[in-house]
């Protein structure tokens, strides 16, 4: 194959994991201010499952073929003119921009230089692919919730990609962490620093007590979890109910004026400074990557299938050889 094309994961119709395949697309070239990254690995995220299945078709449109892949690790392969802050050969991690959407499930990707950070020394690029989404946990706990030492923190979806990072960081920030997860994952979330690990299938929200901060990674039943806030408590959600999109977003908006505590909703859009913060958390031992399983690029559909089945411990990572 010539160097003008590359492998990428594509799909030509909405559907289950079986619609994914590895095809060839034009290899991108960096525009001014952009970086060409040779991708070494990426992780599978819940938003990609929704986009692939068609649940987000109002946002993604119906033009095919479509690409997947949100985050990535790799090496800088080339620089566009005027690009600053990175050099060819740098080991980097990043997340695709809001406007560019998906596309990191490929051999190469182009991104703005400010959307990249350097991977800490001693961390291999496949393992490191579990961590770019941890920037969401940093933003949620540190910036949106202003979590303080001694506060009670509830993490919903604690064994997942953002959740496992939130448990680790919550403990490092001095909070008393309660982690909601499947029964099979309770020992896992305890090993991350959760003081209390609760099976979300057998304990109702009303039985959990009150919390200073609630971090939600599921997007459903927001009303029930919002009721768990202490006076002055803060609730942050990073997603919405994809089966009731309008109602879910409407409730988040209405929470600002009705009842106890506003539900703070945001979608992660990290830049270099936040990646630098992430690298510092790793280097200082407050955060470590949790990789459940690594799949080759040709088995990306199997990685999607595994995430849909539930029960992930950390992240499913796909390596790009």
């Amino acid at each position: 194959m010539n160097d003008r094309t590359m492998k990428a994961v594509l799909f030509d119709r909405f559907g289950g994991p079986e619609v994914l395949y590895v095809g060839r697309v034009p290899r991108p070239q960096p525009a001014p201010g952009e970086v060409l990254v040779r991708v070494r690995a990426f992780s599978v995220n819940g938003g990609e499952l929704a986009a692939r299945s068609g649940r987000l078709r109002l946002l993604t449109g119906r033009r095919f073929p479509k690409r997947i892949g949100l985050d990535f690790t790799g090496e800088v392969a080339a620089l566009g003119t005027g690009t600053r802050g990175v050099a060819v050969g740098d080991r980097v991690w990043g997340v695709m921009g809001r406007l560019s959407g998906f596309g990191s499930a490929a051999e190469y990707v182009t991104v703005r230089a400010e959307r990249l950070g350097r991977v800490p020394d001693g961390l291999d690029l496949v393992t490191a692919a579990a961590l770019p989404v941890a920037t969401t946990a940093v933003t949620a706990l540190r910036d949106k919730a202003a979590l303080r030492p001694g506060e009670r923190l509830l993490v919903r979806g604690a064994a997942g990609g953002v959740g496992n990072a939130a448990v680790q960081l919550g403990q490092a920030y001095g909070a008393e962490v309660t982690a909601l997860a499947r029964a099979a994952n309770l020992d896992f979330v305890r090993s991350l620093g959760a003081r209390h690990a609760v099976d979300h299938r057998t304990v109702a929200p009303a039985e959990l007590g009150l919390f200073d901060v609630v971090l939600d990674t599921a997007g459903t039943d927001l009303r029930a979890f919002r009721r768990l806030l202490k006076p002055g408590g803060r609730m942050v959600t990073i997603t919405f109910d994809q089966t009731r999109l309008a109602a879910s977003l409407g409730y988040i908006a209405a929470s600002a004026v009705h009842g106890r505590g506003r539900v703070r909703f945001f979608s992660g859009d990290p830049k270099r400074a936040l990646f630098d913060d992430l690298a510092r958390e790793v280097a200082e031992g407050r955060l470590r990557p949790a990789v459940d399983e690594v799949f080759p690029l040709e088995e990306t559909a199997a990685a999607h299938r595994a995430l849909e089945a539930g029960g992930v411990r950390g992240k499913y990572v796909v390596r790009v050889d």
Side-chain angles (χ1 to χ4, degrees):
M1 297 292 181
N2 64 57
D3 60 4
R4 295 182 179 180
T5 66
M6 66 175 183
K7 290 181 180 180
V9 180
L10 309 168
F11 61 104
D12 296 328
R13 58 186 172 87
F14 295 124
E18 69 278 358
V19 303
L20 299 177
Y21 66 94
V22 177
R24 298 200 74 87
V25 299
R27 175 174 161 176
Q29 297 299 316
E34 287 188 339
V35 177
L36 177 69
V37 177
R38 170 66 168 96
V39 178
R40 294 301 179 184
F42 59 91
S43 76
V44 180
N45 299 279
E48 298 168 66
L49 306 187
R52 187 213 66 228
S53 69
R55 294 197 298 273
L56 301 181
R57 68 186 70 190
L58 292 178
L59 301 177
T60 63
R62 296 173 178 269
R63 181 176 296 180
F64 295 98
K66 292 187 181 298
R67 302 274 296 276
I68 63 165
L70 179 63
D71 53 40
F72 57 89
T73 60
E75 297 108 0
V76 173
L79 303 176
T81 58
T83 302
R84 301 178 183 277
V86 291
V88 172
D90 282 353
R91 297 175 351 116
V92 295
W93 50 19
V95 174
M96 302 296 289
R98 293 181 188 274
L99 296 180
S100 55
F102 301 111
S104 67
E107 291 180 307
Y108 291 88
V109 67
T110 53
V111 294
R112 300 290 302 177
E114 62 268 19
R115 305 196 67 87
L116 294 173
R118 288 184 176 84
V119 174
D121 293 339
L123 191 60
D124 73 87
L125 291 176
V126 174
T127 302
L131 282 175
V133 296
T135 55
T136 300
V138 174
T139 300
L141 297 183
R142 185 191 66 185
D143 303 332
K144 300 297 183 180
L147 182 66
R148 296 185 290 270
E151 291 192 316
R152 295 197 73 211
L153 166 66
L154 176 66
V155 179
R156 189 177 180 210
V162 174
N164 91 84
V167 171
Q168 296 182 64
L169 292 172
Q171 191 272 338
Y173 295 165
E176 178 185 329
V177 182
T178 297
L180 292 182
R182 293 187 176 197
N185 288 341
L186 297 184
D187 286 342
F188 170 66
V189 295
R190 288 190 190 99
S191 74
L192 300 174
R195 186 178 303 182
H196 313 286
V198 180
D199 181 358
H200 71 92
R201 293 180 170 181
T202 61
V203 178
E207 301 175 51
L208 295 170
L210 299 180
F211 297 87
D212 299 287
V213 174
V214 173
L215 174 58
D216 169 75
T217 69
T220 57
D221 300 323
L222 296 182
R223 189 184 307 271
F225 286 93
R226 185 181 172 211
R227 292 193 184 106
L228 306 184
L229 292 177
K230 294 180 178 180
R234 292 86 71 200
M235 180 171 177
V236 180
T237 184
I238 62 169
T239 188
F240 45 80
D241 188 342
Q242 295 163 3
T243 64
R244 302 172 64 247
L245 179 59
S248 181
L249 292 176
Y251 178 75
I252 292 171
S255 74
V257 293
H258 297 290
R260 180 192 295 174
R262 174 171 64 90
V263 178
R264 296 161 171 85
F265 168 74
F266 78 100
S267 177
D269 191 33
K271 302 292 184 3
R272 183 176 298 161
L274 187 52
F275 280 116
D276 290 345
D277 292 341
L278 178 67
R280 192 174 304 111
E281 299 287 3
V282 174
E284 295 179 0
R286 289 187 290 269
L287 180 65
R288 65 181 188 272
V291 176
D292 190 313
E293 187 173 352
V294 178
F295 297 81
L297 184 68
E298 288 73 17
E299 294 182 17
T300 302
H304 273 233
R305 193 171 293 112
L307 187 59
E308 284 188 338
V312 64
R313 297 183 178 186
K315 296 289 289 183
Y316 292 121
V317 170
V318 179
R319 70 174 189 272
V320 184
D321 293 325

